[in-house]
Amino acid sequence: MTDYPRRALVASPTPPAQVAAAELADAADWVDVDDADVVIALGGDGFMLQTLHAMLERRRPAVPVFGMNLGTVGFLMNEWRRHGLDDRLSRAKPFKVTPLSATIEGADGRIHTLPAINEVSLLRETRQTARLEVTVNDRIVLPDLACDGLLAATPAGSTAYNLSAHGPILPLGSALIALTPISAFRPRRWRGAILPDKTRIAIRVLDADKRPVSAVADQREVRNVARIDVAMDRARELTLLFDPEHALDDRITMEQFIA
């Protein structure tokens, strides 16, 4: 059990989250995020991703985050409750989340390095099908994949865009990455792959001038991509806190039984 004496409060700009933040204003002597032992995040899944990315950008050890849902789905969040925060934090179950790191080379030669907590995706920019060469651990496994796109998802992100693209649900702690095509045209029967999380994935855009492709790491996009390299970034692990009755691993498991 952990008390987390120094707590920071961050909230989405949406009206429900702002109202909730006002209700919690007197619940603790809130400190700045940089001085906190734990961060309380009020909002939806999108705001949780923004909060986690802000921690990654600070380039210092990230503190745990306890989210409360004031958004829509709230898959990464706990139930919103005004009272009982001390007890909830002392009982909260921690889960480690390892982000992906995407090194993106633009057609102009510029290099962008972006983290992704859910997924890294490549998407065609025009009506023309994207053509991609896929390499796994320095071995070309798909010399010419024709598709609308391709994504690599973490276990934490496997129930997001990956699931909508008919990718597999990965249990937390499974040490796996889902590599999932989006509307693959050729090879027509390729449905994706489940890879060890030590795998290095490289994707080269074929015919980039005629068939431009964009890369998206969670919520950040780079257009006109020539190549992207994706791997797990274990040096920047994050911690999410969940009520024992709403633990993330249980929620991911139960998603497999939703019709």
Side-chain angles (χ1 to χ4, degrees), residues 100-127:
L100 294 166
S101 177
T103 302
I104 304 164
E105 180 182 347
D108 59 2
R110 295 179 61 189
I111 303 296
H112 310 263
T113 301
L114 301 177
I117 296 158
N118 274 357
E119 76 278 318
V120 175
S121 55
L122 285 172
L123 305 166
R124 64 173 179 158
E125 293 182 10
T126 68
R127 56 183 170 76

Side-chain angles (χ1 to χ4, degrees), residues 21 39 50-51 57-58 75 85 88 106 113 123 134 139 142 154 164 167 196 201 204 232 235 238 259:
V39 172
Q50 290 179 32
T51 301
E57 290 171 2
R58 286 185 177 88
F75 193 83
L85 182 59
R88 293 175 77 183
T113 301
L123 305 166
V134 181
R139 177 182 178 183
L142 290 170
T154 67
S164 298
I201 303 166
R204 186 167 66 92
M232 283 287 191
L238 299 161

Side-chain angles (χ1 to χ4, degrees), residues 5-171:
R6 297 177 301 173
R7 304 171 186 176
L9 180 66
V10 295
S12 164
T14 63
Q18 289 297 308
V19 169
E23 292 180 5
L24 288 179
D26 298 328
D29 294 325
W30 303 108
V31 301
D32 187 83
V33 170
D34 290 337
D35 301 319
D37 300 311
V38 68
V39 172
I40 310 302
L42 307 179
D45 288 336
F47 182 71
M48 173 60 85
L49 287 177
Q50 290 179 32
T51 301
L52 295 175
H53 275 280
M55 289 188 167
L56 292 175
E57 290 171 2
R58 286 185 177 88
R59 298 198 175 275
R60 63 182 67 187
V63 300
V65 181
F66 183 89
M68 287 194 277
N69 186 31
L70 277 304
T72 306
V73 178
F75 193 83
L76 298 175
M77 315 297 279
N78 298 282
E79 179 185 357
W80 155 248
R81 279 182 254 151
R82 177 180 177 181
H83 301 290
L85 182 59
D86 288 350
D87 181 60
R88 293 175 77 183
L89 288 176
S90 69
R91 297 172 57 242
K93 187 176 180 180
F95 284 93
K96 300 293 184 181
V97 176
T98 305
L100 294 166
S101 177
T103 302
I104 304 164
E105 180 182 347
D108 59 2
R110 295 179 61 189
I111 303 296
H112 310 263
T113 301
L114 301 177
I117 296 158
N118 274 357
E119 76 278 318
V120 175
S121 55
L122 285 172
L123 305 166
R124 64 173 179 158
E125 293 182 10
T126 68
R127 56 183 170 76
Q128 292 190 298
T129 301
R131 291 178 54 212
L132 308 173
E133 177 192 82
V134 181
T135 300
V136 171
N137 292 335
D138 301 320
R139 177 182 178 183
I140 296 175
V141 292
L142 290 170
D144 192 348
L145 171 64
C147 57
D148 282 355
L150 180 66
L151 65 86
T154 67
S158 66
T159 57
Y161 190 10
N162 173 70
L163 183 59
S164 298
H166 307 290
I169 294 175
L170 304 177

